[in-house]
Amino acid sequence: MDRITRVWVYLAETPLLWLALTVGVFWLAQQIYHNTRGFALLNPVLVSIGVLVGLLTITDTSYAVYFDGAQFIHFLLGPATVALAEPLAGQAAELRRAWLPIVVALSAGSLTAIVSAMAIGWAVGLTPETLLSMLPKSVTTPIAMAVAEEVGGLPSLTAVLVILTGITGAVIGIPLLRVLGLRDPLAKGFAMGVAAHGIGTARAFEHSERAGAFSGLGMGLNGALTAILVPLLVWLLGF
Amino acid sequence: MIGSLAALLAFQLAGEILVRLTGLPLPGPVLGMLLLFAALLARGRTPAVFAETTHGLLAYLGLLFVPAGVGIISHLDRVAGEWLGIAVTLLASTALALVATAFTLRYMLRRQGD
């Protein structure tokens, strides 16, 4: 018993345990996802978060202790965002040809994401802090958190809402667009990136390299546009 | 591979520094992505080793969002209190944004094609 306690004391203090568990749980979740041929609700990001929240609750571990270990994975988001330039450069010819449709679609999608969240959130009676934290939900975590801070939301809540939006987009995106009769991988991918940032992009890469490349583009462009539009709309509409 | 990783970090660093110098409303990595994109276009073609590294990193993009997502544990009370409103807003707004983006793009591409 004493020996087990000593092992637990060691594990509870080192970042290794939660780092190993995060990678291990995600690996398992991905195996399950592939074995069910990509059953949408078993999205590996969603399953991993659920399992890890359960483990933290059972062991009474705080998020700060968990993040001490998991921060090494979190850090890689930066280089991975930079890496999105590579598949995108492979689509340079298409990009040059379709720049005007891309700019128009980006504007339509970005405005729809923000204004619909304002309108629906207000209609269902969300509290002001939750509503303001929700507005930048479609863009990648670091941009969304900075925007939330600027308009008076709660950045840490925004991080959660951003992940939930990404998972929602990854789960419903491709089936929804297919049902509505949209086949073009370029349009599918770009929409996933604009509406559901990096998690949508991860899903788009599973669909095809081309969809993934345009999803990365949509994510980057909408990040920039949302950083400008959310503060502007909040000011204009007097939220 | 280590050279490719060094290049990715260097572009991220350049992005972070430029954002702080210019006050652009963008995160450093996104500016780093735009700089790398410009560099790859200027170079004309991507070295195979570099493409291998980026594909390796992007294959596990989903994993990188897990640590931030587990942060929901700090907001369980708020999320539990407003879960229905949050769920309805997220679902409807995300679906609308997907449809608006995809169909505008398809419409514009077809118009351009004619």
Side-chain angles (χ1 to χ4, degrees):
Chain A
M1 187 62 204
D2 199 37
R3 192 170 291 176
I4 293 174
T5 312
R6 270 206 309 265
V7 169
W8 175 246
V9 166
Y10 162 75
L11 286 177
E13 274 174 5
T14 162
L16 180 63
L17 175 66
W18 293 106
L19 177 60
L21 280 173
T22 303
V23 178
V25 166
F26 185 81
W27 178 78
L28 264 178
Q30 215 171 31
Q31 295 299 313
I32 296 170
Y33 183 65
H34 288 147
N35 286 337
T36 56
R37 298 193 190 169
F39 180 62
L41 277 176
L42 287 177
N43 179 284
V45 181
L46 177 64
V47 171
S48 303
I49 292 171
V51 170
L52 287 162
V53 165
L55 287 175
L56 290 178
T57 310
I58 292 168
T59 58
D60 201 19
T61 306
S62 75
Y63 182 61
V65 169
Y66 167 77
F67 198 76
D68 238 19
Q71 62 174 320
F72 302 105
I73 297 167
H74 182 74
F75 175 79
L76 287 175
L77 265 180
T81 304
V82 176
L84 284 168
E86 188 274 318
L88 190 57
Q91 309 289 331
E94 189 123 44
L95 203 58
R96 225 166 269 143
R97 186 176 65 77
W99 70 270
L100 180 63
I102 284 171
V103 169
V104 175
L106 166 70
S107 313
S110 189
L111 272 171
T112 305
I114 302 166
V115 173
S116 68
M118 276 180 169
I120 299 166
W122 176 79
V124 300
L126 290 183
T127 58
E129 304 86 53
T130 305
L131 182 54
L132 287 169
S133 308
M134 180 85 88
L135 299 181
K137 68 180 172 19
S138 282
V139 301
T140 192
T141 325
I143 308 188
M145 289 176 81
V147 171
E149 177 100 70
E150 202 178 324
V151 298
L154 306 167
S156 62
L157 177 62
T158 295
V160 171
L161 295 171
V162 164
I163 306 285
L164 290 174
T165 301
I167 293 169
T168 304
V171 170
I172 68 168
I174 296 203
L176 174 69
L177 295 174
R178 191 192 303 131
V179 165
L180 294 175
L182 194 116
R183 303 256 175 272
D184 185 0
L186 194 159
K188 254 188 260 184
F190 191 72
M192 293 286 272
V194 168
H197 59 89
I199 301 178
T201 300
R203 178 71 187 85
F205 269 116
E206 279 171 31
H207 185 269
S208 69
E209 167 93 10
R210 190 152 170 261
F214 277 90
S215 189
L217 175 71
M219 163 185 150
L221 291 176
N222 194 27
L225 189 56
T226 298
I228 300 163
L229 281 183
V230 167
L232 189 69
L233 286 168
V234 167
W235 177 73
L236 275 178
L237 300 173
F239 259 85
Chain B
M1 194 215 137
I2 198 74
S4 314
L5 207 54
L8 289 176
L9 289 170
F11 274 97
Q12 185 184 350
L13 187 63
E16 301 281 10
I17 292 172
L18 269 176
V19 162
R20 274 157 189 81
L21 285 179
T22 57
L24 280 170
L26 273 183
V30 171
L31 188 57
M33 171 180 95
L34 297 175
L35 292 173
L36 176 59
F37 177 65
L40 287 174
L41 287 192
R43 205 189 144 104
R45 100 195 159 80
T46 310
V49 192
F50 187 69
E52 240 167 67
T53 305
T54 57
H55 286 193
L57 199 52
L58 293 175
Y60 299 101
L61 193 56
L63 167 66
L64 313 186
F65 289 94
V66 172
V70 175
I72 193 172
I73 201 165
S74 317
H75 293 286
L76 283 181
D77 286 345
R78 181 181 287 270
V79 173
E82 295 187 72
W83 72 271
L84 187 59
I86 291 176
V88 169
T89 312
L90 277 186
L91 196 64
S93 174
T94 306
L96 287 171
L98 278 163
V99 170
T101 313
F103 282 88
T104 308
L105 186 53
R106 186 175 75 168
Y107 169 77
M108 289 297 295
L109 285 170
R110 282 186 178 170
R111 228 183 69 148
Q112 196 183 46
D114 289 339

